[in-house]
């Protein structure tokens, strides 16, 4: 629901009422996890997002308007310095703003990798199609990705392709399902193997439940079964009940979901950012705040920093980065960059190696004494889910993804959580060491 320096005024009349209706409608047909294929790179499995090595990855990051501010590429490093593990970059296919070139796409991916950020790339020209006459179609956005296939090839570990931003407004949004399936099909036929991200209609807020009710069929239509869904939470989501109902529906139905945009204020209502962040943390759902800097047309309050200066955070920036359930305390760098797993996550069901580095046993029968350790293929192995399925005593990171404290003195209240090196840490062997 963002605005470039000069853009459309968004409408969401009746949205809050409609968002409440139908949230208990069940998804019919194929269940999300019933036909998922093993994928390389970032991929979906059983409703969650994983890296190629099986580590569950939870996005924590921000949006940056590259298409409107193409000279502000230093913002990528600044965003990483704030602790984000993901950046969502606004690109253009040329239908509405200056086209992002293939060399730019390659350069942006390289900068994301250099700063250890997973890169979500999106075509913004689709915003509000059907209601905004300047917006373009998902089919046109799909052609942009096909045109830039050379920049995406081999980057499956680092890049998620967001088909198109908020691809329908509040008019004609019933076409979202078929248009999304068609765009996915075109990319797969062209040989684009990235995890794909599909934004919701209704300016991304899905107050009509269109994405919610059709997500399972869209996922099933992806030949790679590798699509994650993105809802943008602004004024429609002004209560904890609405936030929780929407996100819980996806999680309970094993449908992959992220909050691809959200803010702390908006012209269409006052989003409950506390509920969004807390619910995302408890459900292990990714979130990406809007946006780094440069907002205009009356939504300047959505800037996270003033004047693209990472040392000048706004109140919204301080909330997102340093507040409760914020980026600094919940973000974990992707393991493809040499980091450990995400806080509070679990290995992929397809992971072959336990957190302590030993392979998982093929069968628990190789563990006759029940201590979690077996013997297969002439070496020790770990029974999945057993007491041995934990990091080694020399590990520097707790099973929940946070670093171990150097000493117990930083845990002043005895709850197992300390504070060292400007971040939370876990006291080894405490109640928090899980």
């Amino acid at each position: 629901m963002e605005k470039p320096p000069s853009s459309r005024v968004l409408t969401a009349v009746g949205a809050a009422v409609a968002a409440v209706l139908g949230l208990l409608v069940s998804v019919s047909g194929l269940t999300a996890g019933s036909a998922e294929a093993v994928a390389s790179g970032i991929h979906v499995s059983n409703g969650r997002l994983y890296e190629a090595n099986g580590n569950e990855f939870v996005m924590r990051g921000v949006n940056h308007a590259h298409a409107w501010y193409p000279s502000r590429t230093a913002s990528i490093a600044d965003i990483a310095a704030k602790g984000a593990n993901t950046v969502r970059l606004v690109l253009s296919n040329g239908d509405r703003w200056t086209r992002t070139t293939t060399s730019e796409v390659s350069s942006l991916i390289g900068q994301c990798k250099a700063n250890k950020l997973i890169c979500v790339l999106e075509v913004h020209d689709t915003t509000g199609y059907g209601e905004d006459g300047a917006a373009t179609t998902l089919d046109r956005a799909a052609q942009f990705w096909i045109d830039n296939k050379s920049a995406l090839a081999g980057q499956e570990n680092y890049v998620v392709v967001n088909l198109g931003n908020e691809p329908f407004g509040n008019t004609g949004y019933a076409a979202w399902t078929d248009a999304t399936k068609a765009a996915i099909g075109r990319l797969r036929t062209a040989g684009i193997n990235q995890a794909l991200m599909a934004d919701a209609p209704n300016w991304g807020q899905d107050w009509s439940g269109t994405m919610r009710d059709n997500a399972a069929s869209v996922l099933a239509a992806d030949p790679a079964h590798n699509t994650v869904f993105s809802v943008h939470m602004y004024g429609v989501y002004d209560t904890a009940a609405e936030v929780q109902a929407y996100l819980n529906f996806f999680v309970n139905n094993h449908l992959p979901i992220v909050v691809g945009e959200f803010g702390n204020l908006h012209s269409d209502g006052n989003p409950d950012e506390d509920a969004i962040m807390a619910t995302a943390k408890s459900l292990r759902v990714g979130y990406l705040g809007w946006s780094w800097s440069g907002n205009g047309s009356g939504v300047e309050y959505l800037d996270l920093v003033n004047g693209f200066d990472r040392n000048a955070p706004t109140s919204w920036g301080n909330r997102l980065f340093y507040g409760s359930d914020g980026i600094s305390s919940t973000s974990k760098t992707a393991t493809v960059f040499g980091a450990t797993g995400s806080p509070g996550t679990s290995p992929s069901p397809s992971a072959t190696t336990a957190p302590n580095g030993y392979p998982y046993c093929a069968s628990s029968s190789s563990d006759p004494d029940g201590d979690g350790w077996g013997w297969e293929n002439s070496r020790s192995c770990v029974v999945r889910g057993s007491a041995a399925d934990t990091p080694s005593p020399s590990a520097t990171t707790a099973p929940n993804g946070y670093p171990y404290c150097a000493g117990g003195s930083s845990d002043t209240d005895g709850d197992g959580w300390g504070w060292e090196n400007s971040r939370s840490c876990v006291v080894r062997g405490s109640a928090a060491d899980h």
Side-chain angles (χ1 to χ4, degrees):
M1 300 296 283
E2 70 294 342
K3 298 181 182 180
S6 60
S7 184
R8 76 285 187 274
V9 176
L10 307 184
T11 60
V13 178
V17 175
V20 177
L21 299 177
L23 282 172
L24 299 179
V25 177
S26 63
V27 174
S28 61
L30 181 70
T31 59
S34 62
E36 290 166 351
V38 176
S40 61
I42 297 171
H43 63 279
V44 167
S45 179
N46 199 31
R48 297 288 179 181
L49 202 61
Y50 293 97
E51 296 183 72
N53 66 357
N55 176 70
E56 185 180 346
F57 182 70
V58 179
M59 292 183 180
R60 288 287 182 267
V62 305
N63 289 265
H64 171 55
H66 171 78
W68 308 328
Y69 300 100
S71 66
R72 296 285 187 175
T73 53
S75 294
I76 294 173
D78 292 340
I79 289 166
K82 289 293 187 182
N85 65 20
T86 303
V87 62
R88 181 174 180 257
L89 296 173
V90 173
L91 309 183
S92 174
N93 73 340
D95 285 356
R96 188 165 185 176
W97 297 285
T98 301
R99 183 179 175 92
T100 307
T101 66
T102 301
S103 62
E104 277 183 278
V105 175
S106 294
S107 178
L108 290 169
I109 293 171
Q111 290 178 69
C112 287
K113 292 165 68 175
N115 288 284
K116 300 183 178 181
L117 291 169
I118 294 301
C119 200
V120 178
L121 304 175
E122 59 103 339
V123 171
H124 213 78
D125 306 66
T126 55
T127 305
Y129 177 76
E131 184 173 349
D132 189 333
T136 195
T137 64
L138 274 175
D139 188 64
R140 291 279 297 164
Q143 187 60 51
F144 173 83
W145 297 121
I146 294 168
D147 292 345
N148 285 279
K149 178 183 173 182
S150 62
L152 301 173
Q155 305 300 326
E156 290 79 9
N157 286 326
Y158 309 98
V159 175
V160 174
V161 172
N162 193 167
L163 299 171
N165 184 68
E166 302 178 0
F168 286 87
N170 295 326
T171 303
Y173 54 83
W176 176 88
T177 303
D178 288 342
T180 301
K181 288 179 180 179
I184 291 170
R186 288 196 64 195
L187 266 62
R188 296 306 187 208
T189 299
I192 293 174
N193 298 317
Q194 264 79 14
L196 304 179
M197 184 179 288
D199 275 13
N202 310 129
W203 302 100
Q205 297 201 79
D206 201 28
W207 56 259
S208 64
T210 300
M211 183 173 80
R212 180 200 64 211
D213 296 343
N214 293 283
S217 69
V218 170
L219 181 59
D222 179 358
H225 299 280
N226 197 20
T227 297
V228 60
F229 300 94
S230 174
V231 62
H232 295 179
M233 290 189 160
Y234 293 102
V236 170
Y237 299 92
D238 57 357
T239 68
E242 289 163 327
V243 172
Q244 293 163 4
Y246 194 88
L247 296 180
N248 271 303
F249 180 89
F250 279 78
V251 171
N252 291 340
N253 286 281
H254 305 288
L255 293 164
I257 184 73
V258 300
V259 182
E261 290 183 21
F262 71 108
N264 65 334
L265 294 170
H266 207 268
S267 56
D268 71 336
N270 185 10
D272 191 341
E273 71 277 10
D274 292 342
I276 293 168
M277 295 165 73
T279 304
K281 179 184 176 183
S282 68
L283 296 178
R284 309 199 313 274
V285 165
Y287 66 65
L288 305 172
W290 183 276
S291 74
W292 183 244
S293 198
N295 285 285
S297 300
V299 294
E300 290 82 358
Y301 50 77
L302 288 173
D303 283 0
L304 292 163
V305 299
N306 290 302
F308 294 92
D309 182 356
R310 76 181 190 189
N311 296 315
T314 63
S315 59
W316 169 219
N318 276 321
R319 174 66 189 91
L320 181 69
F321 291 116
Y322 307 117
S324 179
D325 308 312
I327 286 174
S328 65
S329 63
T330 64
S331 175
K332 197 66 179 177
T333 304
T335 60
V336 71
F337 300 117
T340 54
S342 298
T345 64
S346 58
S348 162
S350 61
T352 59
T353 305
N356 58 19
Y358 285 85
Y360 280 119
C361 302
S363 171
S364 60
S365 62
S366 60
D367 173 26
D369 60 1
D371 66 351
W373 290 95
W375 185 262
E376 294 177 358
N377 301 316
S378 301
R379 67 168 299 181
S380 295
C381 61
V382 172
V383 175
R384 193 184 300 270
S386 70
D389 194 5
T390 58
S392 67
S394 61
T396 59
T397 305
N400 58 19
Y402 286 87
Y404 281 121
C405 302
S409 61
S410 61
D411 174 21
T412 56
D413 59 1
D415 66 351
W417 291 94
W419 185 262
E420 294 177 358
N421 301 315
S422 300
R423 69 166 301 179
S424 297
C425 60
V426 172
V427 176
R428 196 183 298 272
S430 70
D433 191 9
H434 59 79

